[in-house]
């Protein structure tokens, strides 16, 4: 009975948060239409994604990703995963557990359904990379490579840029690499290991990162730490996207701090994801919510 009550209260709060987000986004859209060039451009990116407008070559690239999705949906395989992250929002993993990794076995299709980027979020990231043409993209949390596939396909159409993805589970990394090769999506580089072990040396090697998607270790302190690490490697301009900003109270706190950080010139809150625009030559500040 107590568990049912807790679950009900949690769902009730989530519904209220979504309703407030929807209401606030209506006013913010009016402000966005009057905003400066960069954020107005982003509003147009959101709208064109909603309208499902694509060139023929973009549709072909996205069709390959749909083939990858079908491949995972129909998979009968199981996979043993060693997870170094925070787990579910209700989990209370210790630092020792996250350091050693928590092992479990799941159906590949279940991993895909529960942990992969949605079609609309993937397509939005695809269009962002197409529009802003970053030279070097980083991702924390490869999982089965769905979001990475959108990034790689966009870079391939741009005919420039590299995509590097970090994954804690060697088993997931291996399956992702084989799956993308099977579908014919080329260009993804996966680095395997705990983020705290692999990221520092990679940031030391790659001094100019103008796009990063942070989708791993959903915890307040870790999220803010990743921002600090990536910010130092952003050249003059860059985009950071944080996934699951409403996933837990800790992630909501992290997002509030990021929104208030003076080094971030503009933010777009799509409820599930927080998008940060950085321009080190500017001191302006604006935060918006959109319903996507």
């Amino acid at each position: 009975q107590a568990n049912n009550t807790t679950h009900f209260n949690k769902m009730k709060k989530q519904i209220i948060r979504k309703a407030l987000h929807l209401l606030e986004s209506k006013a913010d859209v009016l402000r966005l239409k009057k905003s400066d060039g960069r954020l107005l451009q982003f509003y147009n990116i959101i709208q064109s994604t909603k309208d499902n407008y694509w060139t023929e070559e973009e549709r072909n690239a996205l069709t390959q990703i749909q083939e990858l999705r079908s491949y995972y949906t129909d998979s009968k395989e199981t996979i043993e995963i060693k997870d170094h992250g925070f787990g579910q929002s209700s989990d209370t993993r210790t630092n020792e557990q996250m350091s050693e990794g928590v092992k479990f076995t799941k159906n590949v299709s279940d991993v895909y359904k529960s942990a992969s980027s949605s079609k609309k979020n993937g397509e939005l990231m695809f269009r962002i990379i197409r529009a802003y043409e970053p030279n070097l993209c980083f991702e924390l949390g490869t999982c089965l490579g769905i979001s990475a596939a959108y990034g790689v396909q966009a870079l391939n159409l741009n005919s420039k840029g590299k995509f590097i993805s970090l994954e804690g589970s060697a088993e997931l990394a291996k399956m992702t690499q084989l799956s993308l090769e099977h579908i014919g999506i080329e260009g993804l580089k996966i680095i395997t290991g705990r983020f705290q072990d692999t990221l520092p040396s990679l940031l030391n090697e790659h001094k100019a990162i103008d796009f990063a998607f942070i989708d791993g270790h959903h915890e307040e302190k870790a999220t803010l730490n990743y921002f600090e690490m990536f910010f130092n490697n952003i050249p003059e301009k860059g985009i950071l996207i944080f996934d699951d900003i409403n996933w837990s109270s800790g992630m909501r706190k992290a997002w509030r701090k990021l929104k208030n950080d003076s080094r971030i010139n503009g933010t777009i809150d799509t409820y599930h994801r927080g998008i940060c625009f950085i321009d080190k030559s500017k001191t302006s500040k604006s935060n918006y919510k959109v319903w996507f």
Side-chain angles (χ1 to χ4, degrees), residues 26-229:
K26 291 183 181 296
D28 279 2
V29 163
L30 297 177
R31 292 198 301 126
L32 257 175
K33 290 179 179 179
K34 300 177 182 178
S35 65
D36 62 47
R38 200 176 192 202
L39 289 177
L40 180 58
Q41 179 190 12
F42 190 80
Y43 172 74
N44 292 331
I45 287 172
I46 291 175
Q47 283 304 115
S48 57
T49 305
K50 284 183 175 180
D51 294 340
N52 202 30
Y53 173 78
W54 309 102
T55 66
E56 183 178 354
E57 63 176 0
E58 287 172 338
R59 285 191 183 279
N60 290 337
L62 294 172
T63 295
Q64 278 190 293
I65 300 174
Q66 285 304 115
E67 292 175 10
L68 181 64
R69 288 185 178 278
S70 297
Y71 178 74
Y72 286 136
T73 299
D74 298 336
S75 176
K76 306 300 181 186
E77 294 183 71
T78 59
I79 185 170
E80 183 179 86
I81 300 171
K82 181 185 281 190
D83 184 11
H84 294 279
F86 199 72
Q88 301 299 316
S89 58
S90 57
D91 289 349
T92 55
R93 290 183 183 176
T94 64
N95 289 331
E96 183 179 1
Q97 285 177 310
M98 288 186 283
S99 176
E100 293 180 358
V102 177
K103 287 186 177 181
F104 55 89
T105 300
K106 291 189 73 172
N107 294 326
V108 170
S109 58
D110 289 338
V111 175
Y112 162 72
K113 291 174 186 175
S114 64
S116 294
S117 290
S118 68
K119 182 175 180 289
K120 68 173 185 177
N121 280 327
E123 289 179 350
L124 180 58
M125 190 167 91
F126 175 90
R127 200 179 288 278
I128 292 170
I129 293 175
R130 285 284 283 150
Y132 291 103
E133 298 187 329
N135 292 305
L136 182 56
C137 302
F138 261 67
E139 175 187 56
L140 299 188
T142 314
C143 193
L144 289 171
I146 293 295
S147 58
Y150 285 101
V152 168
Q153 291 289 72
L155 292 176
N156 288 339
L157 291 182
N158 289 349
S159 298
K160 60 176 287 189
K162 296 181 180 179
F163 199 102
I164 298 174
S165 185
L166 280 62
E167 173 54 49
S169 170
E171 296 81 4
L172 277 174
K174 182 179 179 181
M175 172 163 283
T176 296
Q177 203 76 65
L178 291 173
S179 299
L180 265 66
E181 289 175 3
H182 174 74
I183 298 298
I185 298 175
E186 300 179 351
L188 174 62
K189 182 177 181 180
I190 304 177
I191 305 296
T192 305
R194 298 188 309 162
F195 298 160
Q196 57 264 51
D197 295 334
T198 58
L199 186 56
S201 60
L202 286 167
L203 292 177
N204 189 52
E205 178 183 353
H206 301 283
K207 297 295 186 181
I209 300 169
D210 43 5
F211 179 93
F213 176 47
I214 298 157
D215 180 23
H217 200 163
H218 297 328
E219 188 265 334
E220 178 185 0
K221 184 178 179 181
T223 298
L224 296 174
N225 187 45
Y226 293 139
F227 165 74
E228 295 293 341
M229 296 173 77

